[in-house]
Amino acid sequence: MKRTIDKEKLVATFSIIGADPETGEVGVAVQSKFLAVGAVVPWAKANVGAVATQSWANTEYGPKGLELLEQGVAPEKVIEQLVSNDPGKNLRQVAIINQKGEASAFTGEECFDWAGHKVGKHHSCQGNILVSEKTVTAMSGTFEKTEGTLTERLLAALAAAQHAGGDSRGKQSAAIYVLQEGAGYGGYNDVKVDLRVDDHPEPIEELHRLFELHKLFNTPTEEVLVIEGEVFNEVKTKLVSLGLLEKADQPAYEGAVKEALKTFALSENFDDRWMEESIIDVKLLEFLKNK
């Protein structure tokens, strides 16, 4: 018999854990009718794997699960060890994946309907208090057919899950957490993507918006233009409109125009896209024009 529990106290959610054995990326994406779900569900470690702990979430599953994975324990055996001595296991839901893409999941028999999981190639999808099984089915199918980085595939799967019904109580927060060795800011850590939407009417859409900004500020320059002709005129005109340049009739880039553009670029955190030469990153130019 199921015990009587207030659903509002449960971390009702749907999530996907995934790995890309070729790049070494591991990560978790999650959405829930729960405040700041990114602080509870996702756990990951580069070159080790990822864990999603939810329903009546036991956050000890995160660090303990990663520790066991790092010791070489298979995901299925990790879950067995985590739930074996947990008196609340029937209310738990957990999924674990290692860096090879081997995944396993567990859904306690007392998790509120609809609750379940689907393990596929290099991923696992799980959820509780969902509209129907279609949520995890859509999530899994989308992940497998989507191309791109692990982050892009996880986000696409999350959006598909919401479209298929999602959490039966509604929407509130979402998060994505992806790790890869040396992929963090400045190469000093392994956190490739760590984005959270703690409280928003459309958390998944907002998470996608944040990821686009993340790419803008954190991906390498792919295309540049020489600052001359029409490009030079566009840059001057926009800098004047922003109050960074006094006049647009400057005859040369070097000098006032360059200093004004540099001020703009660095004040907007485009440190990695700024160049001292007479060229401009295409994405920086687009950002400037739309400012």
Side-chain angles (χ1 to χ4, degrees):
M1 175 181 292
K2 289 188 177 183
R3 55 188 95 173
T4 301
I5 294 176
D6 183 356
K7 286 188 179 183
E8 294 302 319
K9 295 181 180 179
L10 293 172
V11 185
T13 181
F14 56 83
S15 69
I16 176 170
I17 57 172
D20 186 334
E22 293 186 6
T23 64
E25 295 168 293
V26 292
V28 184
V30 56
Q31 194 277 156
S32 180
K33 180 64 170 69
F34 184 85
L35 180 67
V37 72
V40 177
V41 172
W43 300 78
K45 186 172 184 179
N47 298 323
V48 175
V51 178
T53 175
Q54 54 200 58
S55 188
W56 194 271
N58 184 339
T59 55
E60 291 186 351
Y61 283 5
K64 287 184 178 179
L66 292 174
E67 181 180 352
L68 290 169
L69 283 180
E70 196 163 19
Q71 293 171 7
V73 181
E76 182 178 357
K77 297 298 182 181
V78 171
I79 289 179
E80 288 180 6
Q81 291 191 44
L82 292 178
V83 304
S84 61
N85 296 315
D86 184 353
K89 66 180 181 180
N90 289 334
L91 284 164
R92 313 289 191 209
Q93 192 170 49
V94 59
I96 296 179
I97 194 167
N98 62 22
Q99 82 281 5
K100 299 177 183 177
E102 300 167 339
S104 184
F106 169 83
T107 299
E109 61 184 22
E110 293 184 25
C111 290
F112 284 90
D113 292 333
W114 188 88
H117 56 265
K118 182 177 179 63
V119 177
K121 183 178 180 181
H122 300 163
H123 73 281
S124 175
C125 303
Q126 44 284 325
N128 61 90
I129 316 185
L130 302 181
V131 172
S132 71
E133 185 178 357
K134 292 180 180 179
T135 299
V136 294
T137 300
M139 195 163 20
S140 177
T142 299
F143 180 83
E144 292 190 345
K145 70 182 182 183
T146 300
E147 297 182 355
T149 65
L150 180 63
T151 300
E152 290 167 338
R153 297 174 70 196
L154 292 174
L155 285 175
L158 208 64
Q162 184 59 55
H163 184 71
D167 188 327
S168 65
R169 294 184 303 141
K171 300 169 284 188
Q172 185 170 7
S173 65
I176 185 159
Y177 189 47
V178 175
L179 276 73
Q180 182 184 33
E181 185 176 3
Y185 181 77
Y188 298 116
N189 61 44
D190 304 324
V191 182
K192 188 170 188 177
V193 180
D194 184 5
L195 300 173
R196 298 181 181 183
V197 178
D198 290 341
D199 185 25
H200 196 280
E202 295 294 340
I204 294 177
E205 290 183 12
E206 178 66 4
L207 193 62
H208 276 266
R209 187 188 71 82
L210 293 178
F211 179 58
E212 289 303 313
L213 288 176
H214 174 86
K215 290 192 293 182
L216 179 63
F217 291 112
N218 295 282
T219 55
T221 294
E222 297 177 349
E223 183 181 358
V224 298
L225 294 173
V226 177
I227 303 178
E228 61 182 13
E230 184 179 347
V231 173
F232 183 40
N233 290 330
E234 287 179 332
V235 168
K236 291 190 294 182
T237 300
K238 193 63 184 183
L239 289 173
V240 169
S241 72
L242 293 173
L244 296 172
L245 185 66
E246 186 176 348
K247 298 178 181 180
D249 60 355
Q250 304 290 335
Y253 174 62
E254 293 294 331
V257 180
K258 180 177 179 179
E259 288 306 308
L261 181 59
K262 184 174 183 178
T263 297
F264 173 80
L266 300 185
S267 67
E268 294 288 347
N269 296 314
F270 283 106
D271 307 49
D272 293 336
R273 293 191 184 276
W274 169 252
M275 302 172 194
E276 290 292 336
E277 302 89 343
S278 298
I279 55 178
I280 186 169
D281 181 292
V282 168
K283 291 189 180 298
L284 172 56
L285 177 60
E286 291 176 354
F287 186 88
L288 173 65
K289 290 163 64 175
N290 292 323
K291 186 68 175 178

